[in-house]
Amino acid sequence: MQDKMMDSFNQQAREFFTPMRKLNSLMLDNMERVTQYQLDAMKRYSQMGTSSLRDASDIGDAEQARDFGTRQVEMMTELSNQMLADARAMSEMSLRMKSEMEALFGESGQAMAERMEEATQATQESAKSEGPAKATSQTTRKRGSGSNAGNGNGSS
């Protein structure tokens, strides 16, 4: 019987921690994706900046300065587009994380509702099987204590 209780306790502990493990795994996966994306973005931006600095250091005359200015406008347009793309990608990652978390919480809520229903049914079945026995023992106690009380009151 004790082994059965321990097995039941272990099973309940596993069921309790399963949603938490899934949530931790989901959050860790998301953090890895976001971190990797941000590192890649930082690398792109730093390469663009370094390239621009190299171009600026190669300027030798007015014509090269004019060409550099033109390239800077193009680079700023490219940078602006890249930043918009990065913002969209981060937003998509955020929405993906949100939907994955909603799905996880939905699964967990459904599983909890099923366990509660099972527990309620088990309690009701247990109460039905034990109900008449308790009522009989309580009736016996009342009768016994009533007759004892009557005997006690009559002898005083």
Side-chain angles (χ1 to χ4, degrees), residues 42-53:
M42 187 172 72
K43 183 178 178 181
R44 280 192 305 272
Y45 297 140
S46 65
Q47 286 174 345
M48 289 173 89
T50 304
S51 174
S52 180
L53 289 173

Side-chain angles (χ1 to χ4, degrees), residues 131-147:
K134 286 183 179 178
T136 304
S137 64
Q138 288 175 355
T139 305
T140 305
R141 283 188 211 145
K142 287 181 184 176
R143 287 182 191 160
S145 60
S147 63

Side-chain angles (χ1 to χ4, degrees), residues 11-70:
Q11 178 64 27
Q12 288 174 353
R14 277 192 295 276
E15 289 175 4
F16 177 75
F17 289 111
T18 297
M20 294 170 82
R21 278 195 321 268
K22 287 180 180 179
L23 178 63
N24 286 338
S25 177
L26 178 64
M27 302 228 5
L28 182 60
D29 289 346
N30 184 62
M31 188 169 59
E32 286 175 339
R33 279 193 304 267
V34 168
T35 301
Q36 187 59 49
Y37 191 85
Q38 288 175 334
L39 288 171
D40 291 343
M42 187 172 72
K43 183 178 178 181
R44 280 192 305 272
Y45 297 140
S46 65
Q47 286 174 345
M48 289 173 89
T50 304
S51 174
S52 180
L53 289 173
R54 286 179 203 236
D55 288 348
S57 68
D58 290 342
I59 295 174
D61 59 19
E63 188 174 322
Q64 289 177 340
R66 183 179 47 85
D67 290 343
F68 175 76
T70 304

Side-chain angles (χ1 to χ4, degrees), residues 44-115:
R44 280 192 305 272
Y45 297 140
S46 65
Q47 286 174 345
M48 289 173 89
T50 304
S51 174
S52 180
L53 289 173
R54 286 179 203 236
D55 288 348
S57 68
D58 290 342
I59 295 174
D61 59 19
E63 188 174 322
Q64 289 177 340
R66 183 179 47 85
D67 290 343
F68 175 76
T70 304
R71 285 194 308 271
Q72 283 301 104
V73 170
E74 292 170 0
M75 196 261 320
M76 291 304 288
T77 302
E78 181 184 342
L79 178 65
S80 177
N81 290 337
Q82 184 62 53
M83 290 178 83
L84 284 172
D86 289 342
R88 271 190 233 108
M90 292 296 287
S91 178
E92 288 172 5
M93 281 188 236
S94 177
L95 290 173
R96 178 179 170 193
M97 175 70 173
K98 178 185 176 261
S99 66
E100 288 174 350
M101 287 185 75
E102 286 174 345
L104 177 65
F105 286 130
E107 290 172 12
S108 297
Q110 181 66 27
M112 184 179 288
E114 289 172 2
R115 284 195 297 268

Side-chain angles (χ1 to χ4, degrees), residues 143-156:
R143 287 182 191 160
S145 60
S147 63
N148 288 342
N151 289 342
N153 286 340
S155 62
S156 295

